[in-house]
Amino acid sequence: MSDATNDSTVGAPARADDPQAQKRADQNVSKSGQMLAADGTPLKRSLARALRRQKLRALMLIAPLLIFVLLTFIAPIADMLFRSVENEIVPETLPRTVELLGSWDHESDEAPGGEVFEAFYYDMALAAQLKNHTRLGTRLNYETTGISSLFRQSGRDIEDIGDVYLDQFEDLNEAWEEPATWIALMGDPDWRAGYTEWFDDGQEGAPPGFRPSEAAEEMLPRTTAVYQNFATFTAGARRDSLAEDEPWPVAYTALYQDLMATPAAADAFDGDTAALLREAAGALSDFETVDFRSYFIDEIDEDWGDPNVWATIQTFSGPVTSGYFLNAVDMRQTADGAAMQPEDQQIYGLLFKRTLFMSLTIMGCCILLAYPVAYLLANLPMRTANLLMILVLLPFWTSLLVRTSAWKVMLQQQGVINDVLVWLGLIGDGSRLVMINNQFGTIVAMTHILLPFMILPMYSVMSTIPPSYVRAAKSLGATNWTAFWRVYFPQSVPGIGAGSILVFILAIGYYITPEIVGGTTGTFISNRIAYHISSSLNWGLAAALGTILLAVVLILYWAYDKIVGIDNVKLGG
């Protein structure tokens, strides 16, 4: 007998008349009484290590599938859930405005004061240069119509404020037109040396990242913040050189305000930079100034004086929002809390009810049509059943768009069905049936498309029901109907359940067929989701609608499990 065989007897009781077996048993027991493996380690630890290795091997085998599911299923759902509450564009684009607007009373009949407009000018000027103002306007336009155009127009006119100060600085001294002046004013000495070397070497490779000097950060905080954004954008997005580009006009506005707040700022600098700053500080009293609040309201657009615009910005100033979900249930988020939408805008509740009703109707129609077909397939000879199964599977070999378009041709008032009915004399030519662009057309087309998904689960279950059960019932005196209803039908219920779940879930998310044949009364909530994704680009609302639809399906699935039991659903076997 081999050593491996001997090792497998570890832990077996030794026979009293076998000294060798007794000796081996003593060697496999530690001093503490623990059983030992062949290598001398405790048996419990050795078994745990072996099980752990088996689990790791199993995990490695399923890892590709697990990663695929995470990337294609879990990640998109997580992204949808995040988009339904994400609102970072407002606080990221208007950080100064959001901070000051928090103390503004939205119930007042006036727009905020000058400090808020000043902060808004800096935020808006930077957003216009970075081309973020249009995205911000589009986001807020979902809540208040007209804000999008307001932001676009303001983005075009915002530079006029900075140009007022730019012209005066350049009229005072032409050195303010030179990019080198701003580099010397704003940059850290070490950064300036590295940047100059990079520029002189032909601008090969990436330039050193901009670092402001301590004097600029302390004495010219507004200007430093603006120039840092300008430097990052110029070097990153535009791939240009700071030594060749003059800063944005808003930088001159910031410089004016910094020098007004700190007239002795020049003392922190030296050389030509200090002389320029002293010259500018001495001339500030003669500068033409701009009142930000009046300019926005009187020159750019009077809508900036509308408190509702600012209330919208204030309401949606947080990084997350419930506004998308409220819109998805025909409500809206206001400064005073949640409120119902006007009656003429309450459409999503109707669409959800219509979607559930029509999906259940389609599921019921599929059950009624699929059951006799599946029964026939399961009880016919194999040769005939296979031929009929080809006919059942034939629609899968035809494009969904072609099948849907064919129903549009069949159901229209001048279509095949109406022509046949008129030819048979069942209806008059002037009273043709309206069977398209309504709920009836959607139900007919989708029942035809989803019918195979009901037939196949039913057939797979019915094919496993022994015919002898029905024959036995008949031999005991049962009629054909009693044998079917009391014996055959209960065994086919798992197939009905599997097909119902499959058809219902497919139907509730369909949007191509309802879009083509549904018209205004036969569309689903999925059509609205597709519209917001592809046309209005309101992805947050589309994500909220999709999340609610997912929650409804999960709730119905849970209810089905409680009432029927998901364990009773089978696909055969």
Side-chain angles (χ1 to χ4, degrees):
M1 187 176 293
S2 66
D3 292 342
T5 306
N6 291 337
D7 290 343
S8 65
T9 62
V10 173
R15 292 172 51 190
D17 57 351
D18 189 350
Q20 295 296 326
Q22 184 65 41
K23 182 178 180 181
R24 287 195 301 270
D26 294 339
Q27 291 175 346
N28 288 313
V29 178
S30 66
K31 294 181 179 180
S32 61
Q34 292 181 331
M35 298 299 297
L36 301 179
D39 58 356
T41 60
L43 182 61
K44 185 176 181 181
R45 186 189 307 168
S46 179
L47 289 174
R49 187 186 303 122
L51 288 174
R52 186 162 55 250
R53 282 197 295 265
Q54 289 181 354
K55 290 179 181 180
L56 288 175
R57 283 196 294 268
L59 180 61
M60 293 300 294
L61 289 173
I62 67 170
L65 177 60
L66 181 62
I67 294 173
F68 177 79
V69 171
L70 288 174
L71 293 178
T72 62
F73 184 72
I74 303 298
I77 292 178
D79 181 67
M80 178 181 68
L81 294 173
F82 173 72
R83 286 183 181 275
S84 63
V85 296
E86 185 269 334
N87 191 55
E88 294 179 352
I89 186 173
V90 178
E92 286 182 356
T93 309
L94 305 176
R96 304 172 183 85
T97 308
V98 165
E99 182 178 356
L100 294 176
L101 201 58
S103 58
W104 173 66
D105 183 10
H106 64 272
E107 295 182 352
S108 64
D109 295 331
E110 295 184 356
E115 289 186 356
V116 173
F117 275 91
E118 178 182 331
F120 181 71
Y121 161 71
Y122 282 106
D123 290 336
M124 189 65 181
L126 293 176
Q129 293 292 342
L130 301 175
K131 307 302 181 185
N132 290 334
H133 65 295
T134 54
R135 292 178 55 243
L136 175 62
T138 300
R139 166 65 188 98
L140 296 176
N141 197 73
Y142 299 148
E143 313 301 334
T144 302
T145 304
I147 288 187
S148 179
S149 59
L150 180 62
F151 270 83
R152 282 199 302 269
Q153 178 182 343
S154 301
R156 290 192 297 266
D157 298 338
I158 198 75
E159 281 194 3
D160 294 343
I161 297 177
D163 287 339
V164 172
Y165 296 97
L166 182 151
D167 293 338
Q168 294 178 94
F169 271 102
E170 292 183 350
D171 290 342
L172 181 65
N173 195 315
E174 294 182 355
W176 290 112
E177 300 180 23
E178 300 298 330
T181 300
W182 287 91
I183 291 177
L185 173 65
M186 306 306 304
D188 178 80
D190 293 337
W191 171 81
R192 293 203 306 265
Y195 195 87
T196 301
E197 181 179 355
W198 169 82
F199 186 77
D200 292 341
D201 289 343
Q203 307 179 35
E204 294 182 0
F210 172 75
R211 293 198 312 273
S213 66
E214 294 182 1
E217 286 185 305
E218 181 180 357
M219 297 296 178
L220 308 173
R222 294 184 183 87
T223 314
T224 301
V226 172
Y227 193 83
Q228 190 150 17
N229 280 281
F230 163 74
T232 302
F233 177 73
T234 301
R238 291 179 54 187
R239 304 286 183 180
D240 289 339
S241 169
L242 295 177
E244 298 175 338
D245 281 7
E246 187 179 359
W248 298 326
V250 63
Y252 293 88
T253 308
L255 180 60
Y256 169 82
Q257 290 196 314
D258 283 335
L259 291 177
M260 287 292 294
T262 313
D267 295 342
F269 298 85
D270 53 22
D272 295 338
T273 302
L276 279 173
L277 290 176
R278 290 192 183 94
E279 179 187 23
L284 293 180
S285 58
D286 298 328
F287 270 35
E288 175 189 354
T289 60
V290 175
D291 181 87
F292 297 107
R293 190 176 190 276
S294 299
Y295 196 93
F296 269 97
I297 297 174
D298 299 335
E299 301 295 333
I300 295 181
D301 198 302
E302 62 180 7
D303 285 344
W304 287 118
D306 184 359
N308 292 327
V309 172
W310 295 98
T312 301
I313 298 175
Q314 184 188 57
T315 302
F316 295 93
S317 60
V320 295
T321 179
S322 61
Y324 292 124
F325 278 103
L326 291 176
N327 291 339
V329 293
D330 292 328
M331 300 180 70
R332 58 193 175 95
Q333 184 175 348
T334 66
D336 297 318
M340 292 299 298
Q341 294 276 17
E343 289 189 9
D344 58 345
Q345 299 181 22
Q346 297 179 13
I347 60 173
Y348 296 114
L350 174 63
L351 285 174
F352 274 114
K353 294 176 183 177
R354 181 192 297 168
T355 300
L356 290 176
F357 168 73
M358 294 181 66
S359 297
L360 291 172
T361 302
I362 293 166
M363 182 188 73
C365 292
C366 285
I367 292 174
L368 295 176
L369 295 174
Y371 198 92
V373 175
Y375 180 83
L376 190 64
L377 289 172
N379 291 278
L380 283 175
M382 184 62 66
R383 182 182 182 88
T384 307
N386 289 339
L387 180 62
L388 294 179
M389 181 60 71
I390 292 175
L391 298 179
V392 172
L393 298 176
L394 189 61
F396 288 127
W397 304 337
T398 308
S399 168
L400 173 63
L401 191 60
V402 172
R403 283 181 281 162
T404 304
S405 301
W407 276 111
K408 194 172 183 69
V409 173
M410 294 275 290
L411 296 175
Q412 62 184 331
Q413 285 187 292
Q414 302 300 324
V416 177
I417 295 178
N418 266 304
D419 285 345
V420 171
L421 293 176
V422 170
W423 178 71
L424 292 174
L426 298 178
I427 61 173
D429 190 53
S431 57
R432 290 173 175 260
L433 301 179
V434 180
M435 296 182 292
I436 200 68
N437 295 330
N438 51 28
Q439 292 188 13
F440 178 81
T442 301
I443 292 172
V444 170
M446 288 188 61
T447 298
H448 167 254
I449 291 170
L450 297 178
L451 189 59
F453 294 99
M454 183 69 76
I455 294 175
L456 294 176
M458 285 186 178
Y459 169 72
S460 66
V461 171
M462 291 179 181
S463 61
T464 63
I465 300 176
S468 58
Y469 289 2
V470 175
R471 292 196 298 267
K474 290 180 180 180
S475 68
L476 294 174
T479 63
N480 289 335
W481 170 252
T482 302
F484 167 78
W485 185 250
R486 299 286 298 274
V487 177
Y488 191 88
F489 181 77
Q491 296 182 78
S492 66
V493 168
I496 298 175
S500 299
I501 292 177
L502 183 60
V503 168
F504 178 78
I505 291 178
L506 288 173
I508 204 172
Y510 247 65
Y511 72 94
I512 295 178
T513 302
E515 183 70 24
I516 295 175
V517 301
T520 58
T521 61
T523 54
F524 286 10
I525 191 66
S526 52
N527 296 103
R528 204 65 186 170
I529 295 174
Y531 165 77
H532 286 306
I533 290 177
S534 61
S535 299
S536 72
L537 302 182
N538 190 349
W539 290 4
L541 179 55
L545 292 170
T547 301
I548 293 175
L549 189 62
L550 174 63
V552 169
V553 171
L554 292 177
I555 291 172
L556 292 175
Y557 183 85
W558 173 83
Y560 182 91
D561 182 38
K562 290 296 181 182
I563 297 172
V564 179
I566 201 65
D567 293 337
N568 295 324
V569 174
K570 296 181 181 178
L571 291 174

